[in-house]
């Protein structure tokens, strides 16, 4: 793929592009066309160690980088991302498949995290507490935790890194970044912009790519990496917990979701349907906050299903680079097969097709899965228990509030939930009962830089965004002064 931001298809260590040398490479595909668009080096264990060493050299404890310096880095990254959002968006669209408009929107979203941290960095200044317990004057400092490992998935190739990197830089933590192997190009593009336009000490940001298990192992075992921030599957999250237990490392984890989207009988059905469309089909349904189980009160189920079907059938599926496309391909064959399996399983177990093709009519020769709605979903179906991560809306009917609260919570996950009702009392009560870190009331909107986002239960540990996210990479240190 040709781009001024992809001249160096390589990792970045200690302020320099790594020499490609004899490294083995891996292929990056455009999921819309199936073409290989780049070959990227699969870096060695020595490279990952070198990246950690470079981070350690950039870490400053005794003479920390000032808040103004760190604010400058954040503003620099924000500005260069916004100045180059067209080109970064074009790269992102081609390696991920999401529509170009969404891809550019993701670059703006990413810039928003750097902007938020820059605007609120003062919160990390040391302060003296008002009381004088034990006859001492107590100062609280927010120290950088150290070199951090940041590991991200492919579904938001820049958004996910921005959430982590903005807070890490605000804290003064050098990082070793590992993007998903499906989407490393957007990250290379971001490093290319940082290299050219942002004045940061060598080693503050390092990029490694290649075999995930090896990179994960080095980051888990390296004594100079006290913290990992990971977004991805619960399976890998659990492995990181196990592999860091010996050294008691800090983990920030954003893992799987299984979001319920609840439409009560008093809801504005048009608003609910419109919001569900925006929520469900963003990124082709491949986000952890996408509605995964849609519970509709039985009195409004037919009316809601019709509204939804009309909207779904009007959607245009295709290559995200074409302007009129609403939904792109799935990321890979495994992603496509999972959606296919979930639709087939639901229909075999008695669900009805409301919109979209029968799975048996799909050739499976490409990665485009047409948006599909099924109704009559029950808890024994795979689409109820697992995250589909694709453009399937599975509708289940319910009769009363307690029943739907129990059904909504009937999952090990607790990331995002949505409820649509005109009754504020009901909304407050149901939101409080739903064990999810994010509960949209009459909105399908997902996270934003200004608010803390993260999961309850098996959906993770910690928060990204908001002041809570800003504090994730610091260690509060108290210095009581006796005299
Ligand atoms: P997904 O299903 O979204 O691909 P994964 O958890 O498999 O979720 O991947 C998320 C990120 O974690 C990717 O960057 C992937 O390469 C990385 N990853 C996968 N396995 C490991 C591992 N054993 N240790 C560390 N990172 C891993």
């Amino acid at each position: 793929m040709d781009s001024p931001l992809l001249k160096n298809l390589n990792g970045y260590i200690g302020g320099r592009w790594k020499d490609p040398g004899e490294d083995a490479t891996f292929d990056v595909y455009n999921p819309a066309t199936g073409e290989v668009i780049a070959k990227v080096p699969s870096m060695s264990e020595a490279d990952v160690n070198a990246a950690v060493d470079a981070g350690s050299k950039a870490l400053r404890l005794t003479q920390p980088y000032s808040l103004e310096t760190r604010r400058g880095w954040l503003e620099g990254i924000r500005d260069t991302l916004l100045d180059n959002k067209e080109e970064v968006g074009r790269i992102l669209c081609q390696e991920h498949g999401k529509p170009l408009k969404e891809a550019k929107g993701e670059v703006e979203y990413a810039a928003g995290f750097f902007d938020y941290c820059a605007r609120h960095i003062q919160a990390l200044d040391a302060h003296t507490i008002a009381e004088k317990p034990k006859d001492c004057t107590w100062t609280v400092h927010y120290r950088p935790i150290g070199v951090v490992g940041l590991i991200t998935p492919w579904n938001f190739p820049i958004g996910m890194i921005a959430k982590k990197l903005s807070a890490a830089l605000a804290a003064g933590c050098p990082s070793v970044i590992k993007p998903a192997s499906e989407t490393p190009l957007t990250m290379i593009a971001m490093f290319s912009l940082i290299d050219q336009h942002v004045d940061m000490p060598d080693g503050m940001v390092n990029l490694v790519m290649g075999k995930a298990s090896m990179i994960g192992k080095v980051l888990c075992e390296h004594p100079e990496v006290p913290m990992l921030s990971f977004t991805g599957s619960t399976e890998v999250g659990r492995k990181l917990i196990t592999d860091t237990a010996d050294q008691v490392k800090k983990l920030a984890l954003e893992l799987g979701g299984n979001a319920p989207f609840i439409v009560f009988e008093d809801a504005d059905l048009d608003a609910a349907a419109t919001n569900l469309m925006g929520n469900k089909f963003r990124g082709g349904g491949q986000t952890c906050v996408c509605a995964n189980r849609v519970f509709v009160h039985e009195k409004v189920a037919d009316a809601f299903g019709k509204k939804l079907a009309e909207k779904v059938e009007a959607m245009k599926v295709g290559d995200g680079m074409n302007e009129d496309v609403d939904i792109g391909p799935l990321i890979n064959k495994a992603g496509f097969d999972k959606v296919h399996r979930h639709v087939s399983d639901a229909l075999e177990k008695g669900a009805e097709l409301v919109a979209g093709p029968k799975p048996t009519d799909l050739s499976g020769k490409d990665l485009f899965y047409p948006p599909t709605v099924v109704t009559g979903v029950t808890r024994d179906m795979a689409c109820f228990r697992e995250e589909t991560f694709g453009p399937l809306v599975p509708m289940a009917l319910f009769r009363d509030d307690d029943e739907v609260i129990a059904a909504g919570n009937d999952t090990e996950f607790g990331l995002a939930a949505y409820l649509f009702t005109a009754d504020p009392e009901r909304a407050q009560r149901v939101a409080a009962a739903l064990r999810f870190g994010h509960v949209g009331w009459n909105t399908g909107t997902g996270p934003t830089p200004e608010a803390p986002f993260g999961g309850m239960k098996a959906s993770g540990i910690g928060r990204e965004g908001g002041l809570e996210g800003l504090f994730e990479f610091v260690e509060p240190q108290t210095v009581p002064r006796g005299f």
Side-chain angles (χ1 to χ4, degrees):
M1 183 179 177
D2 221 19
S3 166
L5 302 183
L6 298 177
K7 291 220 171 89
N8 292 287
L9 280 180
N10 220 318
Y12 189 89
I13 299 174
R16 265 172 214 88
W17 294 102
K18 195 191 151 312
D19 180 354
E22 299 291 298
D23 283 345
T25 59
F26 64 92
D27 294 339
V28 182
Y29 293 87
N30 177 338
T33 61
E35 284 162 10
V36 174
I37 49 174
K39 287 184 180 294
V40 172
S42 191
M43 294 164 72
S44 68
E45 196 170 325
D47 293 332
V48 186
N49 279 306
V52 175
D53 292 346
S56 299
K57 287 201 186 95
L59 178 69
R60 280 219 215 140
L61 293 178
T62 49
Q63 288 181 306
Y65 302 105
S66 69
L67 291 179
E68 289 66 37
T69 300
R70 291 181 259 155
R71 187 188 290 121
W73 302 338
L74 295 163
E75 289 174 346
I77 300 180
R78 172 198 65 195
D79 293 346
T80 191
L81 287 180
L82 291 176
D83 290 347
N84 293 278
K85 76 168 187 211
E86 301 287 325
E87 186 57 12
V88 180
R90 194 177 74 85
I91 294 167
L92 199 163
C93 168
Q94 291 186 56
E95 67 175 350
H96 175 284
K98 65 178 71 177
L100 185 57
K101 196 158 60 128
E102 271 187 45
K104 290 184 204 163
E106 186 185 328
V107 182
E108 283 175 8
Y109 174 69
F113 283 90
F114 294 100
D115 181 60
Y116 178 85
C117 287
R119 284 190 289 113
H120 292 272
I121 197 163
Q122 211 62 37
L124 297 179
D125 205 1
H127 66 271
T128 302
I129 59 178
E131 298 87 347
K132 294 209 170 196
K134 310 202 173 196
D135 286 334
C136 291
T137 305
W138 293 68
T139 305
V140 183
H141 296 270
Y142 295 104
R143 308 295 192 197
I145 188 165
V147 179
V148 293
L150 311 181
I151 305 176
T152 52
W154 48 263
N155 62 345
F156 288 93
I158 195 159
M160 293 297 184
I161 273 296
K163 295 176 178 203
K164 302 176 191 306
L165 180 61
S166 56
L169 288 175
C173 292
S175 54
V176 176
I177 294 174
K178 188 223 149 319
S181 300
E182 291 84 350
T183 56
L185 302 181
T186 306
M187 219 15 56
I188 293 175
M190 187 186 87
F191 268 79
S192 165
L193 291 172
I194 291 177
D195 183 59
Q196 289 169 44
H197 303 293
V198 187
D199 189 16
M200 255 195 294
D202 291 348
M204 267 322 276
V205 289
N206 303 280
L207 174 64
V208 298
M209 297 167 297
K211 199 151 184 276
S213 53
M214 178 278 288
I215 297 172
K217 187 165 183 289
V218 174
L219 295 175
C220 285
E221 291 178 359
H222 203 301
E224 288 193 37
V225 180
M227 174 175 176
L228 266 70
S229 175
F230 168 81
T231 299
S233 63
T234 305
E235 183 197 347
V236 174
R238 286 199 174 104
K239 182 165 168 46
L240 298 179
I241 293 173
T242 310
D243 292 355
T244 54
D246 272 0
Q247 291 184 38
V248 197
K249 293 195 178 191
K250 180 171 176 184
L251 290 173
L253 304 174
E254 207 246 79
L255 309 176
N258 185 354
F261 188 106
I262 306 171
V263 183
F264 288 96
E265 70 278 20
D266 62 351
D268 175 336
L269 296 187
D270 288 309
T274 304
N275 273 277
L276 179 56
M277 295 296 293
N279 168 282
K280 176 73 228 188
F281 296 111
R282 195 151 42 97
Q286 303 170 106
T287 87
C288 42
V289 297
C290 278
N292 198 57
R293 297 166 295 153
V294 180
F295 296 101
V296 190
H297 193 278
E298 60 177 11
K299 281 194 191 144
V300 295
D302 283 349
F304 184 73
K306 277 199 194 96
K307 286 179 195 291
L308 204 58
E310 257 172 47
K311 291 180 191 292
V312 163
E313 273 155 10
M315 286 190 101
K316 177 130 197 251
V317 184
D319 186 333
M321 287 299 285
N322 299 332
E323 280 217 340
D324 55 345
V325 158
D326 302 306
I327 185 164
L330 273 313
I331 189 76
N332 54 27
K333 182 83 170 72
F336 181 97
D337 289 348
K338 187 171 192 192
V339 184
H340 195 274
R341 174 168 66 79
H342 279 194
V343 179
S344 310
D345 170 77
L347 297 179
E348 274 160 28
K349 291 182 178 151
E352 278 171 48
L353 197 59
V354 177
K358 287 197 197 118
T360 43
D361 290 347
L362 291 171
S363 73
K365 285 199 181 122
D366 55 36
L367 300 177
F368 296 102
Y369 202 104
T372 299
V373 182
V374 300
T375 190
V377 165
T378 49
R379 69 187 304 284
D380 57 318
M381 297 176 185
C383 64
F384 191 100
R385 311 238 49 96
E386 300 168 23
E387 203 174 15
T388 303
F389 238 58
L392 165 65
V393 180
M395 294 202 319
L397 275 43
F398 72 93
R399 286 200 189 94
D400 68 61
D401 294 17
D402 288 345
E403 177 198 351
V404 79
I405 290 168
N409 282 333
D410 182 16
T411 164
E412 66 173 316
F413 297 112
L415 195 59
Y418 309 89
L419 61 102
F420 280 73
T421 175
D423 176 355
E425 189 279 324
R426 171 187 258 167
Q428 300 296 348
R429 186 168 36 82
V430 176
L434 289 170
R435 304 301 291 155
F436 293 81
H438 172 99
V439 184
W441 172 24
N442 292 346
T443 176
T445 196
T448 178
E450 294 78 7
F453 176 80
M456 296 186 188
K457 295 164 42 182
S459 284
I461 303 173
R463 295 292 182 266
E464 293 180 327
L467 287 178
E468 290 81 352
L470 186 62
F471 279 83
E472 278 282 346
F473 294 88
V474 294
E475 292 276 28
Q477 181 189 54
T478 47
V479 181
R481 181 176 169 185
F483 55 87

